Amino acid sequence: MLLAAAIPALALAHPLGNFTINHYAGLRVEPTRVLLDVVIDQAEIPTFQARIEFDADADGETSDEEIETGREAACAELAGDLSLTADGAGLPMTLQAAGLSFPPGAGGLSTMRLVCAFEAPLPAALDAEPTRIAFADASFAERIGWREIVAVGSGATLAVSDGELRATSISQRLTAYPEELIAAPLADVSLTVDAVAGGPELPPGTVVDAIAIDGAAPSPSPGVGAVASAGPTPTSAPAGGVVPGGVSGGDLPSIFRTADVAPLVLLLSVVTAAALGAGHALTPGHGKTLMAAYLVGTRGTP
């Protein structure tokens, strides 16, 4: 009865599952440069792992100073998994703005939203001859999740060469996932377009959920025009309700970090948990066929 009463408190979990890492990339192609807006939305489990890395002083909390340091470092690391080329030549990307926040998730844990705005100058200005611009995101390839790429031209006209060309974000930059696509999320890994000079110029904008990097001039948003972003999100998750087992949501992360247990107790705990879990799963009514179908349908990996 207690477990049944606690289950509704978990309904606030990430809509795509609390193991997922979700991607959005917005390209804005201009006559002399490409602006790139990348958003990474991590669900509860990968966020918990990431916050341990951000927590430099290991006090169990992510301070404003640690977030300030972490936002640039995380974007720099992400840039290594992004590829942006023009006619086959790599374009150097400069980080213009970065944002890091931790919206509340399930069970007292948080999710994580990383926003990185890059600028990449073209080697030559666009003209009447097409310039082939290719983008690919290879980050977190081992994780399932939503992957969306959007591209628009400002003073430039785009024609798709490979992939699907979208001018607006279906998920509003990972802030509102369409319910009808939850079971079959977008899987855009790369996009190639041919760009020529000419076309309407888009109004300038800013990535409101990112803060300019010191020394970098603010760039227009490379995203989706009027759909800039959701508003600012809290940097830490408030204490939640009671989760199964009678533990308060606010205490759950600290329990995960507890390390003052004897090796024998730890071993017995793991063996006991495995035995209880296996025995429980063997009982009727646990939808093994549905679980297998879910793993197949979401292309689940080992």
Side-chain angles (χ1 to χ4, degrees), residues 128-173:
E129 290 296 319
T131 297
R132 179 152 293 182
I133 297 174
F135 170 79
D137 177 4
S139 63
F140 305 106
E142 74 283 1
R143 293 276 188 174
I144 62 173
W146 182 281
R147 289 178 176 267
E148 179 181 5
I149 300 177
V150 170
V152 296
S154 179
T157 301
L158 308 182
V160 66
S161 174
D162 182 57
E164 184 171 350
L165 182 60
R166 297 184 180 88
T168 57
S169 173
I170 297 176
S171 68
Q172 298 187 36
R173 295 175 73 242

Side-chain angles (χ1 to χ4, degrees), residues 122-273:
L122 293 170
L126 297 180
D127 54 25
E129 290 296 319
T131 297
R132 179 152 293 182
I133 297 174
F135 170 79
D137 177 4
S139 63
F140 305 106
E142 74 283 1
R143 293 276 188 174
I144 62 173
W146 182 281
R147 289 178 176 267
E148 179 181 5
I149 300 177
V150 170
V152 296
S154 179
T157 301
L158 308 182
V160 66
S161 174
D162 182 57
E164 184 171 350
L165 182 60
R166 297 184 180 88
T168 57
S169 173
I170 297 176
S171 68
Q172 298 187 36
R173 295 175 73 242
L174 309 185
T175 62
Y177 297 97
E179 292 186 6
E180 66 275 13
L181 295 178
I182 293 296
L186 296 187
D188 300 339
V189 177
S190 61
L191 176 67
T192 303
V193 297
D194 291 327
V196 296
E201 293 189 4
L202 300 178
T206 57
V207 182
V208 298
D209 47 3
I211 302 172
I213 302 299
D214 290 341
S219 297
S221 169
V224 292
V227 183
S229 73
T233 49
T235 58
S236 60
V242 176
V243 298
V247 180
S248 70
D251 291 337
L252 192 56
S254 62
I255 288 177
F256 286 158
R257 293 188 177 91
T258 300
D260 56 347
V261 294
L264 179 60
V265 174
L266 180 60
L267 178 60
L268 288 175
S269 299
V270 171
V271 172
T272 302

Side-chain angles (χ1 to χ4, degrees), residues 16-210:
L16 284 166
N18 51 18
F19 282 89
T20 59
I21 295 181
N22 308 286
H23 307 241
Y24 165 85
L27 286 79
R28 173 169 167 151
V29 180
E30 299 181 353
T32 61
R33 64 179 182 173
V34 177
L35 299 175
L36 181 60
D37 171 24
V38 181
V39 181
I40 302 294
D41 172 28
Q42 297 197 19
E44 289 87 350
I45 300 304
T47 294
F48 177 79
Q49 298 167 334
R51 290 193 73 158
I52 294 176
E53 299 179 6
F54 289 125
D55 185 12
D57 56 9
D59 65 350
E61 301 293 337
T62 309
S63 67
D64 292 342
E65 292 75 12
E66 289 167 337
I67 291 176
E68 177 64 24
T69 301
R71 68 185 180 99
E72 294 189 41
C75 286
E77 182 177 357
L78 177 65
D81 292 321
L82 305 179
S83 172
L84 184 62
T85 64
D87 289 333
L91 298 180
M93 298 185 297
T94 302
L95 183 63
Q96 298 292 306
L100 180 63
S101 59
F102 297 94
L109 299 175
S110 61
T111 61
M112 186 176 86
R113 181 176 176 85
L114 175 67
V115 181
C116 307
F118 300 96
E119 179 180 5
L122 293 170
L126 297 180
D127 54 25
E129 290 296 319
T131 297
R132 179 152 293 182
I133 297 174
F135 170 79
D137 177 4
S139 63
F140 305 106
E142 74 283 1
R143 293 276 188 174
I144 62 173
W146 182 281
R147 289 178 176 267
E148 179 181 5
I149 300 177
V150 170
V152 296
S154 179
T157 301
L158 308 182
V160 66
S161 174
D162 182 57
E164 184 171 350
L165 182 60
R166 297 184 180 88
T168 57
S169 173
I170 297 176
S171 68
Q172 298 187 36
R173 295 175 73 242
L174 309 185
T175 62
Y177 297 97
E179 292 186 6
E180 66 275 13
L181 295 178
I182 293 296
L186 296 187
D188 300 339
V189 177
S190 61
L191 176 67
T192 303
V193 297
D194 291 327
V196 296
E201 293 189 4
L202 300 178
T206 57
V207 182
V208 298
D209 47 3

